[in-house]
């Protein structure tokens, strides 16, 4: 038995040596031979003949719009990330240069100066702050063991310190603003909302379009933000809902169809149904969907007839196809006057765009 084992090991070693020899030989051929190189288009890189032109094919100029085509969201994400990285670096330089100058005068290292003069000791996290964070992040009570609690507390302490440093930098730059020579990227996509459930001001200067999935947990957070937007802005904002049920959420599509049967009866009832369904994502079976129809005051018989007939099956699919066409890749995805806001972000992310749009409409 031992002999056979040694023989087998020898075969394995020989096989390994042979394999490495083949790989090495292949690598040499690939590295040294130019015979198998694939032909490539003949690119000549030069300065553009005029602004906005990125290339020329067969004498025809190719603009940025031609190049990007329907991939606007992908290109926007790249530009947005570049902008965010630049701003992160700029904020770090503000701390290094402005507070660093004060630290140098005090003959102290930067971190020590910040600790002594700005953050001033240990950050205390109130029970209210802790509970607010847990609620916003929807952390289950049974997961809040001592280790997780400690990590949350440390995170909140770090955030509090950063807020204090930011406030100090804001004070230093109040009368001496920082000049910035790059702009925040914007993407304007016209989103059709005809036939969609709509709430808010009919003549509002700002339109928020929500692409969402009734079974998606992040979409439930997004729905909460929509409620906050409605409370904060009222008729200054118009909100439209688009269906984007994901394949892995089997109950999302029926819920979408059910919601449109409610919308057929009343847009106001639709938004009540919208909120109710998102709050009960664990119960989206047909019986529950019917119960929610009754809860929002809809005509249940008409609802049942509409839902059973699959009346809005095509409408939901149309929303899904349209969302994919304009670049929606995940849920929730929002467009605020054509500006992309992807993910379950807090209301602050929306307010920045909404406030700017409202201000522009008054000029």
């Amino acid at each position: 038995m031992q002999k056979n084992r040694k023989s087998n090991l020898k075969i394995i070693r020989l096989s390994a040596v042979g394999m490495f020899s083949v790989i090495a030989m292949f690598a040499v051929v690939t590295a040294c031979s130019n015979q198998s190189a694939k032909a490539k288009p003949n690119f000549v890189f030069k300065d553009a003949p005029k602004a906005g032109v990125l290339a020329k094919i067969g004498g025809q100029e190719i603009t940025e719009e031609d190049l990007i085509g329907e991939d606007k969201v992908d290109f926007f994400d790249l530009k947005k990330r570049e902008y965010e990285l630049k701003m992160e670096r700029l904020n770090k330089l503000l701390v290094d240069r402005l507070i660093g100058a004060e630290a140098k005068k005090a003959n102290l290292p930067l971190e020590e100066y910040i600790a002594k003069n700005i953050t001033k000791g240990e950050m205390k996290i109130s029970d209210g702050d802790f509970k607010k964070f847990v609620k916003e992040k929807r952390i289950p009570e049974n997961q809040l063991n001592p280790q997780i609690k400690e990590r949350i507390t440390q995170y909140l302490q770090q955030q509090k310190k950063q807020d204090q440093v930011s406030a100090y930098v804001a004070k230093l730059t109040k009368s001496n603003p920082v000049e910035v020579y790059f702009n925040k990227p914007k993407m304007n996509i016209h989103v059709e909302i005809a036939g969609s459930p709509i709430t808010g001001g009919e003549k509002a200067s700002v339109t928020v379009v929500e692409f969402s999935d009734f079974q998606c947990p992040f979409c439930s957070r997004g729905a909460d933000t929509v409620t906050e937007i409605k409370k904060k802005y009222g008729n200054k904002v118009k909100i439209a809902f688009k269906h984007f049920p994901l394949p892995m959420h089997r109950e999302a599509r029926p819920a979408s169809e059910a919601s449109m049967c409610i919308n057929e009866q009343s847009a106001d009832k639709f938004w009540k149904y919208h909120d109710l369904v998102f709050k009960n994502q664990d119960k989206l079976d047909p019986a529950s969907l019917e119960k929610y129809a009754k809860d929002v005051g809809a005509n249940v018989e008409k609802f049942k007839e509409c839902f059973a007939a699959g009346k809005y099956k095509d409408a939901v699919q149309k929303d899904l196809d349209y969302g994919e066409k304009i670049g929606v890749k995940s849920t929730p995805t929002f467009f605020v006057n054509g500006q992309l806001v992807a993910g379950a972000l807090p209301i602050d992310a929306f307010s920045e765009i909404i406030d700017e749009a409202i201000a522009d409409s008054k000029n």
Side-chain angles (χ1 to χ4, degrees):
M1 191 74 177
Q2 186 68 24
K3 185 178 180 181
N4 289 340
R5 186 182 175 196
K6 286 181 179 179
S7 177
N8 289 338
L9 287 171
K10 186 177 181 182
I11 291 170
I12 292 169
R13 290 193 189 101
L14 287 172
S15 298
V17 170
M19 188 179 293
F20 281 122
S21 299
V22 171
I23 292 171
M25 182 173 68
F26 178 76
V28 169
V29 170
T30 304
C32 298
S33 174
N34 199 33
Q35 298 298 318
S36 60
K38 292 182 179 180
K40 294 181 178 179
N42 183 17
F43 290 118
V44 178
F45 293 88
K46 51 170 48 174
D47 292 336
K50 60 184 179 183
V53 176
L54 300 185
K56 190 181 285 186
I57 300 175
Q60 293 185 334
E61 293 178 344
I62 306 300
T63 65
E64 184 171 355
E65 187 176 349
D66 295 329
L67 186 70
I68 292 174
E70 293 185 355
D71 295 325
K72 287 184 178 180
V73 172
D74 291 333
F75 278 86
F76 176 75
D77 284 343
L78 286 172
K79 290 180 179 179
K80 184 181 176 185
R81 184 58 186 144
E82 180 187 9
Y83 171 81
E84 289 169 349
L85 283 170
K86 284 180 177 178
M87 289 304 297
E88 285 175 17
R89 292 296 304 166
L90 189 57
N91 279 301
K92 185 178 183 304
L93 283 172
L94 281 172
V95 173
D96 291 345
R97 300 285 175 88
L98 299 182
I99 301 180
E102 293 187 353
K104 189 175 181 180
K105 288 180 183 178
N107 199 27
L108 289 172
L110 178 61
E111 291 300 322
E112 187 177 341
Y113 181 86
I114 290 173
K116 279 189 174 183
N117 297 279
I118 301 173
T119 58
K120 298 178 182 178
E122 185 181 353
M123 297 290 105
K124 292 184 179 180
I125 304 302
S126 69
D127 189 51
D129 288 339
F130 185 90
K131 287 180 178 178
K132 182 182 177 183
F133 179 85
V134 169
K135 184 180 178 181
E136 287 178 349
K137 300 301 179 183
R138 300 193 179 189
I139 303 172
E141 188 71 30
N142 59 6
Q143 291 184 12
L144 291 174
N145 57 48
Q147 291 80 14
I148 295 296
K149 287 181 178 180
E150 179 62 25
R151 286 173 63 182
I152 292 173
T153 300
Q154 288 175 355
Y155 172 81
L156 291 174
Q157 287 173 332
Q158 187 60 34
Q159 285 295 110
K160 204 167 185 178
K161 285 182 181 179
Q162 288 179 1
D163 290 344
Q164 289 183 343
V165 171
S166 295
Y168 192 81
V169 170
K171 182 180 177 182
L172 292 176
T173 58
K174 187 174 182 180
S175 58
N176 188 22
V178 180
E179 295 184 6
V180 182
Y181 306 122
F182 58 90
N183 295 317
K184 185 176 182 178
K186 291 184 178 182
M187 181 182 66
N188 291 306
I189 292 183
H190 175 68
V191 184
E192 293 286 349
I193 60 173
S196 299
I198 295 171
T199 187
E202 186 178 342
K203 297 180 180 180
S205 59
V206 180
T207 300
V208 177
V209 185
E210 171 190 6
F211 281 85
S212 199
D213 171 317
F214 280 118
Q215 203 176 348
C216 161
F218 295 103
C219 294
S220 179
R221 298 184 195 179
D224 290 341
T225 302
V226 168
T227 299
E228 289 183 62
I229 292 172
K230 287 194 284 187
K231 288 179 179 178
K232 182 175 181 179
Y233 293 99
N235 287 332
K236 292 179 181 178
V237 170
K238 180 191 298 180
I239 300 171
F241 186 89
K242 290 283 189 182
H243 302 277
F244 204 83
L246 300 174
M248 64 278 220
H249 295 150
R250 294 182 180 180
E251 294 178 315
R253 190 180 288 261
S256 284
E257 293 178 30
S259 72
M260 291 305 290
C261 287
I262 298 295
N263 187 63
E264 179 181 272
Q265 297 187 33
S266 163
D268 183 54
K269 288 182 174 64
F270 166 85
W271 289 100
K272 291 178 181 177
Y273 195 83
H274 163 281
D275 295 346
L276 194 56
V277 170
F278 273 125
K279 283 180 170 59
N280 294 277
Q281 290 184 314
D282 57 333
K283 295 178 182 177
L284 298 181
D285 57 280
S288 294
L289 293 176
E290 183 180 323
K291 178 184 179 298
Y292 305 146
K294 183 180 179 180
D295 291 342
V296 300
N299 183 311
V300 177
E301 290 306 313
K302 285 184 179 180
F303 167 81
K304 287 167 65 177
E305 183 180 343
C306 173
F307 185 54
K311 186 174 180 178
Y312 289 96
K313 184 177 181 180
D314 290 343
V316 171
Q317 184 61 45
K318 187 178 178 181
D319 271 5
L320 184 59
D321 294 341
Y322 179 64
E324 289 176 347
K325 181 181 177 182
I326 64 173
V328 176
K329 298 181 184 299
S330 60
T331 55
T333 292
F334 300 86
F335 291 93
V336 183
N337 274 17
Q339 298 293 312
L340 176 72
V341 181
L345 301 180
I347 191 171
D348 291 347
F350 293 84
S351 293
E352 183 179 350
I353 303 173
I354 293 172
D355 291 343
E356 184 179 324
I358 291 174
D360 288 345
S361 69
K362 293 177 180 179
N363 295 333

